[in-house]
Amino acid sequence: MNAAHKTLAEAIEKIGELHPENGFTFQDMKGVETTYSFPRIAELTAHRAAALQASGLQKGDRIGLVVVEPEDFVLTFLAAVRVGIVPVPLYPPLSLGGLDAYAEKTAKILACAGAKVLVASTQLQNVLWGIVGKVPSISRLVKVETLAEFEGTPKAETIAPDDIAFLQYTSGSTSDPKGVIVTHASLKANSEAIMGAGLHATAEKTVGVSWLPLYHDMGLI
C-alpha cells in the first residue's frame, strides 16, 4: 500500500498506475506459475467487484469466502474490499472425517458475521450447501468462477480509513470463533510497519514470498 493511499480500496484501484511492472505470481502444487501484473489485477478486481454489486451486494454487506484456488481467493477478496463489501475469509474443509464439526463451526462464523452471500469454489459446493441452510442471513451460494466471467465497471463507493476492510475470525480451537474487525487504517499502519520500518522494502527492489494459507491472518497480513 503506497503511503499516499488512505485505504486499501484506493490502493487496489490505483496500484496499476504506480507500479505497472510489478504484480503477483502464484504457483500451484505442480510448480506451474501464473503471474498477474498490477494493472491486470486492477482490471480483474473491477470486474469481480461489479459482479458482486450486480448480485445485490452493497457497501458494508458481509460475504463468506471459502475458496481454495489462490488466484480466485486473492482477486475476489480484493474485489470486495475495493467497493466496501466486507469479506470474511474461512478455511476449507481439511478432511472428510471432520465435516460435521467443520459445518457447525463455519455456520457459527457466518451467522456471527451476518454474511449475506457465501462465495465458494465449485469443488466445495456439495459440502457447503448444507451450511447455507443453517445461516438465516445468507441468501445464496455463489460459485467463485462465475465472478470471473463477469465484465463490467463497479459503482464507485466512498470508503474511509475507519471503514471495515475485512473480518478475521479466530480458529475456534479452544472456544467459539471470535471475529476481529480490521479497518483500512489498521491495514495501512500494519503495512507501513512491516514493509517500511521493519523490512525497509521498496516497490523497486523488494520481492516477497509467502507459502502460508491465504485464509489465515498470517497469510493475509
Side-chain angles (χ1 to χ4, degrees), residues 66 93 99 102-103 106-107 110 116-136 138-143:
V66 188
L99 285 181
Y102 170 82
T106 302
L110 292 169
K116 289 192 173 182
V117 168
L118 178 58
V119 180
S121 303
T122 295
Q123 61 183 285
L124 300 176
Q125 300 290 296
N126 292 338
V127 174
L128 297 176
W129 269 118
I131 297 175
V132 171
K134 298 177 181 178
V135 183
I138 292 183
S139 61
R140 60 194 172 281
L141 189 152
V142 174
K143 297 179 182 179

Side-chain angles (χ1 to χ4, degrees), residues 31-86:
V32 178
E33 294 186 347
T34 304
T35 298
Y36 295 85
S37 67
F38 282 148
R40 182 62 173 157
I41 289 171
E43 177 186 5
L44 293 175
T45 56
H47 292 328
R48 292 186 186 227
L52 292 172
Q53 290 178 333
S55 70
L57 292 166
Q58 302 177 8
K59 177 186 174 182
D61 288 342
R62 285 84 186 276
I63 61 169
L65 283 184
V66 188
V67 179
V68 295
E69 298 84 6
E71 299 97 320
D72 276 324
F73 181 97
V74 169
L75 292 172
T76 304
F77 179 90
L78 296 179
V81 169
R82 72 177 285 170
V83 291
I85 296 168
V86 180

